[in-house]
Amino acid sequence: MKALLDTNIIIHCENTTASNYGIGLLFYWLDKLNYEKCIHPYSEQELRKFQDNNMQSLYDAKLPAYITLQTIATQSDDFKSKLPEEKSQNDKIDNQLLYEVYCNRVDILITEDKNLRKRSELFSLRSRVLSINDFISKCTAENPDLISYKMLAVKKDYFGNINVKDSFFDTFRVAYSGFDNWFAKKSNEEIYICRTDKSDILGFLYIKTENETENYSDIKPVFQPKKRLKIGTFKIETSGFRLGERFIKIIFDNALERNVDEIYVTLFEDRPELKALEDLLTVWGFYRYGIKQSNEKEEVVFVKKLKVYDSQLSVKQNYPNILFRKRQKFILPIYAKYHTNLLPDSKLNTENEIDFLGKEPHRYALQKVYISWSPERNIKPGDLIVFYRMAENHGRKKYESVLSTVGIVDNIRFGFRNKEEFLATCQNRSVFSKAELDGFWNNHSKNLLVLRFIFVKSLTKRLTLEYLWNRNIIPASNGPRPFTRISDEQFRNILRDSQTKITFIEENNV
């Protein structure tokens, strides 16, 4: 197996100052799965353009460790006909790297270039043109027994309990003078942190509430007076576990609990490791607002609006802003053996404590996947769903089958052209193994439906199947079928009787 590494990957790897946990994992998996690490002649030419003598000496020592492709494939007419116009030398190089995958001279291309990954979709190559995180996520999902560490839950802690000298904080020390002193002064304030079972820090988050009197004179354009949640210190290492989504959920939950109008964060753009964080925030609806002047340097300000719904944005970009009216409501059953794995936040009190979150990446994802071969197809983004955990003991289903979780439909896919497209849609957001997904394709390919949904909230009180019978939501003696429709009133009653509060955006705020 041959993995072609883009220039940006080599720079990442051989940078003498960057601290990137993901690079170590990338090379761990490349070695563990016996990939040959290849470099293209065009990439080597790019690297040799750097004028820094120290870097060139480093490349002299390190580049021989890669296998250089000895020839450059001649692009076919059918390939060139699908390409957009080349506007730069970078476009030419990117297209050539893509062609090396297209003609199967290499098995995969690993690149941090978002546009190049997007371009690969023109040739149905997206599953073979991967970011560092894509590759690590794929490896962790397909080879859980080879993961060398376990992820532990994101937990609350205090600044004072964290070792600021940990190498995790090196990038902050470089970016912010006096970081260690600032950190010490925060000793009594709460943070969120995630570690591995080896005590490596993989995620850190500090947030604070700011009221309408906050001074924003250093931000241009100046913020109007509003109650805001500031993301003060936020860093996630690439791990393949979608840890970023876990922290996004924490940020949104805090914003709703504190009843703020906006969330904002400031980022330096001269730090390449922050690009992935910027991409994550953008996917979840943050937009570039302006500039903050910080110690003679500029930070970009990103803002997320709450309490409004923008119909021009996707469900994912609007979340946690959710519409209620004119949205369908469904009940979705899920087998007990898959329930906690897919929805760990909705673990029942009767279940044993789980090694939260262990070695299963889908548990961290805020956006998840439900697979069905139900004939129902009239499901729309924004529709609301209530998950129903089926009892393990069929004889006690009346008492042990319960409604557990509310989600919102992000998108729905069916009519897959091939198995690769189906597997790519599921990614590592599904509870099912690769073998199980293969079986679904072999047995149900024509009817497969993949629902991507966003986890909204666990029900505070679990309502049983008997409740559904007594309220005439489900016919007596039966359980709900996939995509059982319920009315607006029934949905509201479920929230009321389960003592669950979800804030919806009224249409007049749209």
Side-chain angles (χ1 to χ4, degrees):
M1 297 280 282
K2 294 181 179 180
L4 180 60
L5 307 183
D6 197 356
T7 312
N8 49 57
I9 303 297
I10 305 298
I11 292 173
H12 253 311
C13 178
E14 306 305 343
N15 192 325
T16 57
T17 59
S19 173
N20 191 324
Y21 190 92
I23 288 293
L25 280 183
L26 168 65
F27 278 76
Y28 168 85
W29 283 113
L30 288 171
D31 291 338
K32 202 74 175 176
L33 301 178
N34 299 314
Y35 277 91
E36 294 182 3
K37 296 182 279 291
C38 301
I39 184 172
H40 198 275
Y42 285 172
S43 294
E44 189 161 356
Q45 290 173 18
E46 282 190 287
L47 293 170
R48 292 304 186 181
K49 291 178 181 178
F50 289 111
Q51 300 300 313
D52 188 305
N53 291 333
N54 290 331
M55 288 304 300
Q56 290 306 320
S57 296
L58 184 66
Y59 292 147
D60 288 340
K62 296 294 187 71
L63 290 185
Y66 302 96
I67 297 174
T68 302
L69 301 185
Q70 296 301 309
T71 58
I72 299 172
T74 302
Q75 295 176 19
S76 61
D77 291 338
D78 67 308
F79 178 82
K80 290 189 287 188
S81 67
K82 296 179 182 179
L83 289 172
E85 179 187 356
E86 291 181 356
K87 297 181 179 180
S88 66
Q89 180 66 13
N90 284 340
D91 286 346
K92 177 183 177 181
I93 294 172
D94 289 348
N95 291 339
Q96 187 59 46
L97 296 184
L98 192 58
Y99 188 69
E100 305 295 348
V101 185
Y102 180 80
C103 66
N104 296 313
R105 282 161 48 100
V106 295
D107 297 285
I108 60 172
L109 168 64
I110 301 178
T111 177
E112 289 296 86
D113 188 327
K114 189 175 182 179
N115 292 329
L116 179 52
R117 298 197 301 271
K118 181 69 175 177
R119 195 176 308 169
S120 71
E121 296 174 2
L122 298 172
F123 306 94
S124 300
L125 292 175
R126 184 63 182 87
S127 63
R128 295 172 60 193
V129 179
L130 309 169
S131 67
I132 294 174
N133 196 54
D134 287 338
F135 179 73
I136 295 172
S137 297
K138 180 176 183 291
C139 293
T140 54
E142 295 177 359
N143 305 277
D145 293 339
L146 297 180
I147 300 174
S148 60
Y149 62 93
K150 291 183 179 181
M151 295 287 286
L152 304 180
V154 178
K155 296 181 179 179
K156 271 188 179 182
D157 208 329
Y158 290 92
F159 274 94
N161 290 329
I162 312 302
N163 177 18
V164 70
K165 300 302 182 184
D166 191 292
S167 61
F168 177 88
F169 298 107
D170 286 350
T171 52
F172 291 109
R173 269 185 284 277
V174 171
Y176 301 98
S177 60
F179 175 78
D180 287 11
N181 289 335
W182 172 86
F183 199 98
K185 291 177 181 178
K186 295 287 183 182
S187 61
N188 209 39
E189 296 192 38
E190 287 185 331
I191 52 88
Y192 293 89
I193 191 167
C194 182
R195 300 178 183 270
T196 70
D197 58 346
K198 297 179 180 179
S199 294
D200 293 326
I201 302 175
L202 291 190
F204 185 94
L205 171 67
Y206 166 60
I207 50 180
K208 69 171 185 174
T209 307
E210 296 177 343
N211 61 32
E212 293 85 349
T213 62
E214 189 76 25
N215 181 5
Y216 294 115
S217 59
D218 55 353
I219 293 178
K220 306 298 181 187
V222 177
F223 278 156
Q224 296 300 309
K226 286 183 181 179
K227 188 177 181 182
R228 292 181 171 87
L229 185 73
K230 179 182 180 180
I231 303 173
T233 308
F234 188 24
K235 180 180 177 182
I236 314 154
E237 297 283 19
T238 299
S239 65
F241 278 79
R242 303 197 181 280
L243 186 57
E245 292 186 26
R246 192 76 189 170
F247 278 97
I248 287 290
K249 175 68 170 147
I250 290 169
I251 291 168
F252 289 163
D253 285 350
N254 273 278
L256 293 175
E257 181 68 25
R258 303 181 194 195
N259 193 31
V260 301
D261 301 303
E262 288 183 349
I263 310 169
Y264 81 100
V265 63
T266 63
L267 300 175
F268 286 116
E269 290 199 302
D270 59 353
R271 294 166 54 193
E273 75 274 10
L274 288 178
K275 186 66 174 71
L277 180 56
E278 180 181 325
D279 289 344
L280 173 71
L281 294 169
T282 302
V283 161
W284 289 97
F286 286 79
Y287 66 94
R288 186 180 292 252
Y289 171 84
I291 297 295
K292 177 182 177 180
Q293 199 69 31
S294 178
N295 296 324
E296 299 182 356
K297 295 173 65 178
E298 287 188 347
E299 290 182 274
V300 179
V301 181
F302 287 87
V303 170
K304 166 83 176 184
K305 291 183 178 180
L306 299 179
K307 302 180 182 179
V308 294
Y309 195 95
D310 187 342
S311 59
Q312 300 301 310
L313 301 178
S314 68
V315 169
K316 190 173 181 179
Q317 290 168 316
N318 272 295
Y319 184 81
N321 303 313
I322 304 172
L323 291 180
F324 182 87
R325 295 179 185 176
K326 299 181 182 178
R327 295 296 186 267
Q328 301 176 100
K329 285 83 180 175
F330 300 97
I331 295 178
L332 283 183
I334 182 170
Y335 287 111
K337 64 179 180 179
Y338 297 126
H339 175 267
T340 298
N341 221 358
L342 184 64
L343 303 164
D345 296 277
S346 298
K347 180 180 70 70
L348 301 191
N349 292 331
T350 54
E351 295 179 290
N352 293 329
E353 282 297 317
I354 55 175
D355 184 12
F356 190 67
L357 294 162
K359 291 187 175 184
E360 294 162 307
H362 56 262
R363 290 184 173 186
Y364 281 87
L366 176 51
Q367 183 191 51
K368 300 170 183 284
V369 159
Y370 179 93
I371 300 172
S372 174
W373 35 93
S374 163
E376 177 65 66
R377 293 294 185 269
N378 186 28
I379 306 159
K380 308 294 183 185
D383 288 345
L384 295 164
I385 49 182
V386 182
F387 281 93
Y388 166 86
R389 180 192 183 274
M390 301 165 66
E392 295 179 87
N393 184 343
H394 185 74
R396 292 185 55 79
K397 68 177 185 179
K398 176 179 178 180
Y399 310 104
E400 295 182 359
S401 297
V402 296
L403 300 176
S404 73
T405 310
V406 176
I408 183 171
V409 177
D410 184 25
N411 63 56
I412 186 167
R413 293 283 304 277
F414 50 85
F416 296 100
R417 293 172 294 179
N418 50 53
K419 184 168 72 172
E420 182 185 69
E421 187 177 73
F422 166 64
L423 294 176
T425 303
C426 298
Q427 293 183 347
N428 65 341
R429 300 179 184 274
S430 164
V431 297
F432 301 109
S433 67
K434 173 67 162 50
E436 288 174 309
L437 293 173
D438 286 340
F440 292 160
W441 178 261
N442 294 335
N443 296 319
H444 305 283
S445 59
K446 293 182 179 179
N447 300 315
L448 279 174
L449 176 154
V450 175
L451 175 81
R452 282 201 177 194
F453 70 95
I454 298 170
F455 170 81
V456 175
K457 201 166 193 177
S458 299
L459 298 185
T460 304
K461 178 182 177 182
R462 305 302 161 85
L463 305 177
T464 65
L465 177 58
E466 184 178 33
Y467 169 91
L468 297 177
W469 290 345
N470 292 343
R471 302 310 189 277
N472 296 316
I473 297 174
I474 301 295
S477 301
N478 292 328
R481 305 292 296 170
F483 301 104
T484 295
R485 292 174 180 273
I486 56 176
S487 67
D488 286 3
E489 182 182 6
Q490 288 170 331
F491 185 90
R492 286 192 186 278
N493 289 342
I494 287 171
L495 293 184
R496 180 197 65 203
D497 296 338
S498 67
Q499 301 171 12
T500 304
K501 180 182 177 181
I502 297 176
T503 302
F504 296 99
I505 304 299
E506 296 296 331
E507 289 186 87
N508 60 4
N509 288 334
V510 178

